[in-house]
Amino acid sequence: MILDSKIPEGPLAEKWDKHKFNVKLVNPANKRKYDVIVVGTGLAGASAAATLGELGYNVKAFCFQDSPRRAHSIAAQGGINAAKNYQNDGDSVFRLFYDTIKGGDYRAREANVYRLAQVSVNIIDQCVAQGVPFAREYGGLLANRSFGGAQVSRTFYARGQTGQQLLLGAYSALNRQIAYGKVKMYPRTEMLDLVMVDGKARGIVVRNLVTGKIESHSAHAVVLATGGYGNVFFLSTNAMGSNATAAWRAHKKGALFANPCFTQIHPTCIPVSGDYQSKLTLMSESLRNDGRVWVPKTVEIAQRLRKGEIRVQDIKEEDRDYYLERKYPAFGNLVPRDVASRNAKLMCDEGRGVGASGLAVFLDFADAIKREGQPAIAAKYGNLFDMYAKITDENPYENPMRIYPAVHYTMGGLWVDYNLMTNIPGLYATGECNFSDHGANRLGASALMQGLADGYFVIPYTIGDYLAQNPTTKVTTDHPAFKEAEQAVIAKNNQLLSINGTRTVDDFHKALGLLMWDYCGMARNAEGLKFAKQEIRKLRDEFWRDVKVVGVNEELNITLEKANRVADFLELGELMVDDALNRNESCGGHFREEYQTPENEALRDDENYAYVAAWEFTGVGNDAILHKEDLKFENVKLTQRSYK
């Protein structure tokens, strides 16, 4: 299979504008004849559905939540990047492009990333027009702050709830189209299969989560905006409902899955406190603007602190190691997430971690409070400090926060071309569920940027190019392909319900998550990955023999929902391990212990691995087939990343 990324010819800065001119158009009268399905209503999905409805297409939007505004985009805290250069500090579209390529450790397409940087400036205007309450400076101008991997201030924010405010903006646009009748909304409905007719995506099979009814919906094109697969690790900062089922079922129908081992570990999360936890809580990266990361300088001091023999206030300044500032003076505490996470792990592995478990480092605001005053810090981060206090019962204004890395985002996803279409004609993937923009590591505040760029400004152009070349003829859900897919979904649900084993779904999910975290998490090695592959296969076999799914299909059955999702995670987890084992280098969030510099930094192998690894499904338990898309770098020079 030859992967055609469909990157336009011409200079980098002109590719997108020329492409927009060259794509085929659908005239307004014909748009009314085309149906488009959008699965997911986070920032990528809600913005896509609203914009496509505004253009005149007939849109069906699906979400498994009870309302589109409960999509996980709402949990994003810190901000959204845009190359506005309002601070006059040297930012530009090219600098945002370069920072993103470099931050992703040179494992992303130049053309896609440059388009993202270009479109970023439009996103802010769009959101301001919608009434998104971005923070403003005293004179009324929009405020900016810094995020990791950049030396400029380009992040727009709404305190620590930027995702919520952006989603409410997209949700209002979506509701407008629902009111006009251009978008039909299907909440509490989960996609369980993709339907293909004559080799093209023509619809989906869904389960009504309230009644259990299996239904089909047809369209001329399908857009997936279903987020990432971080919950394969069980413990992550994702909402518990976040899952990979829609993308994975599309993969099993032939869509290639790209770079699945590229997962992001966020450095500032509240540490694990016990086996009873079902998720972890993010503390925004924006906190690293004013918070200083440190650990005790010696193992002895750290041990005394953990035993309660001394308090954190007893540790003198000269006995504190501000290790990010020491090792990376140019970027300090605002190094990219993969770098900050690995260094936190390194400190804890040395025995200098803090907290009862020793798996935490300090994020200290004492200097910032002394410099600016507590009211100023509260104005910036008040809701985050309140959240931390409620969860830990500690006052972060008086004591340093304790933080530790946790799974947060996935850079891998369905392979897409420049038009965001998968290798299946008519099937598109937007936002976190595709692989396209972040390489091996996403910079902070870039997820919201990508979701809204794809939904508001990319897919409305590119989907028209496909539809214009296809007839308006509709395929009804009576077509044999729909009936066959429905029967497959029903059979799988009945199989899960009939096992009646002894272990709960959550028990299997936790076991898988622990395997993934230990062997395919912050650090990986060949021996551990080979062991994990064997154990995942054993666990999957046991799942299909001994899982207990209570209730019946024809009702609200959360256990059955979870079982379907965990069944997919058990297959996806093996592919992630295979991908990590195949990539004999370290890059970004993929850190193979065998491949590192003397200073413990990621050591890439550009000669052999400067490609997108796109995997083809060949059956459960069979080895996936690897397809490669070579990455060409014509505008940036491949160098060893340095943030010193």
Side-chain angles (χ1 to χ4, degrees), residues 401-429:
M401 289 183 178
R402 287 176 294 105
I403 57 167
Y404 193 69
V407 173
H408 176 60
Y409 186 90
T410 51
M411 286 75 67
L414 294 178
W415 182 89
V416 292
D417 61 19
Y418 190 71
N419 294 320
L420 304 185
M421 188 160 72
T422 68
N423 59 298
I424 295 177
L427 177 66
Y428 292 80

Side-chain angles (χ1 to χ4, degrees), residues 110-424:
E110 282 191 339
N112 286 61
V113 176
Y114 193 87
R115 176 177 64 187
L116 178 65
Q118 274 182 297
V119 166
S120 70
V121 298
N122 300 329
I123 296 171
I124 304 304
D125 298 338
Q126 168 86 2
C127 295
V128 169
Q130 289 174 336
V132 173
F134 286 123
R136 293 178 181 267
E137 295 172 347
Y138 180 76
L141 300 177
L142 293 176
N144 294 111
R145 58 188 176 198
S146 299
F147 256 61
Q151 292 180 304
V152 296
S153 295
R154 63 163 68 103
T155 306
F156 295 78
Y157 63 98
R159 295 189 73 185
Q161 48 185 251
T162 313
Q164 179 180 15
Q165 299 305 325
L166 291 172
L167 186 59
L168 289 173
Y171 175 67
S172 66
L174 177 62
N175 265 351
R176 181 168 176 265
Q177 296 307 314
I178 293 172
Y180 286 157
K182 294 307 297 178
V183 176
K184 187 169 183 181
M185 190 67 227
Y186 293 85
R188 303 294 286 135
T189 306
E190 183 166 24
M191 173 183 162
L192 292 180
D193 209 353
L194 175 73
V195 179
M196 294 170 59
V197 177
D198 298 329
K200 298 177 181 179
R202 292 307 301 259
I204 60 174
V205 176
V206 300
R207 179 173 181 269
N208 183 312
L209 298 183
V210 177
T211 67
K213 186 178 180 182
I214 304 299
E215 300 173 311
S216 289
H217 296 269
S218 69
H220 295 90
V222 177
V223 179
L224 298 185
T226 51
Y229 48 91
N231 273 353
V232 71
F233 291 88
F234 186 71
L235 285 179
S236 79
T237 64
N238 292 181
M240 288 181 65
S242 297
N243 64 84
T245 289
W248 189 251
R249 302 287 169 95
H251 172 59
K252 294 176 78 169
K253 280 295 180 75
L256 301 181
F257 209 103
N259 300 336
C261 78
F262 287 172
T263 54
Q264 178 163 90
I265 315 294
H266 198 294
T268 52
C269 302
I270 297 178
V272 176
S273 57
D275 293 337
Y276 55 83
Q277 281 183 271
S278 55
K279 77 176 300 293
L280 298 174
T281 304
L282 173 72
M283 287 285 103
S284 169
E285 181 167 316
S286 62
L287 294 170
R288 288 196 275 146
N289 272 280
D290 290 300
R292 301 179 70 191
V293 180
W294 65 275
V295 292
K297 267 191 179 173
T298 67
V299 174
E300 180 190 1
I301 296 173
Q303 288 175 338
R304 292 182 64 200
L305 183 65
R306 291 197 294 269
K307 291 176 182 177
E309 296 175 2
I310 57 173
R311 300 176 307 152
V312 63
Q313 291 87 351
D314 298 329
I315 302 177
K316 298 176 182 178
E317 188 68 18
E318 57 266 29
D319 291 328
R320 302 181 178 194
D321 181 11
Y322 297 93
Y323 57 89
L324 292 178
E325 297 174 25
R326 170 174 56 82
K327 295 176 72 173
Y328 308 98
F331 283 75
N333 294 297
L334 286 174
V335 291
R337 291 173 176 177
D338 61 316
V339 177
S341 294
R342 276 198 297 276
N343 276 275
K345 181 181 185 295
L346 191 61
M347 296 300 112
C348 294
D349 289 348
E350 289 178 2
R352 294 197 282 152
V354 300
S357 66
L359 294 176
V361 298
F362 285 130
L363 182 61
D364 197 336
F365 292 86
D367 287 352
I369 291 172
K370 184 178 179 181
R371 182 177 65 248
E372 299 183 25
Q374 184 170 319
I377 298 301
K380 292 182 187 177
Y381 314 115
N383 65 313
L384 299 171
F385 277 48
D386 291 345
M387 191 190 312
Y388 182 87
K390 286 179 181 177
I391 292 172
T392 65
D393 197 29
E394 297 173 10
N395 186 343
Y397 294 105
E398 298 175 359
N399 295 295
M401 289 183 178
R402 287 176 294 105
I403 57 167
Y404 193 69
V407 173
H408 176 60
Y409 186 90
T410 51
M411 286 75 67
L414 294 178
W415 182 89
V416 292
D417 61 19
Y418 190 71
N419 294 320
L420 304 185
M421 188 160 72
T422 68
N423 59 298
I424 295 177

Side-chain angles (χ1 to χ4, degrees), residues 484-495:
E484 183 182 333
E486 285 180 15
Q487 291 306 311
V489 167
I490 292 169
K492 187 165 190 174
N493 286 351
N494 289 339
Q495 184 181 3

Side-chain angles (χ1 to χ4, degrees), residues 63-78:
C63 69
F64 65 77
Q65 297 91 348
D66 55 2
S67 166
R69 65 182 178 187
R70 292 180 71 89
H72 188 58
S73 298
I74 205 168
Q77 297 172 355

Side-chain angles (χ1 to χ4, degrees), residues 36-53 59-63 68 71 73 167 170-171 173-174 183 185 223-227 429-433 448 450-456 459:
V36 179
I37 285 172
V38 178
V39 185
T41 56
L43 288 179
S47 59
T51 308
L52 293 172
V59 181
K60 291 182 178 181
F62 297 82
C63 69
S73 298
L167 186 59
Y171 175 67
L174 177 62
V183 176
M185 190 67 227
V223 179
L224 298 185
T226 51
T430 62
E432 191 180 352
C433 84
L448 306 186
Q450 186 207 351
L452 292 180
D454 288 355
Y456 282 137
I459 201 74

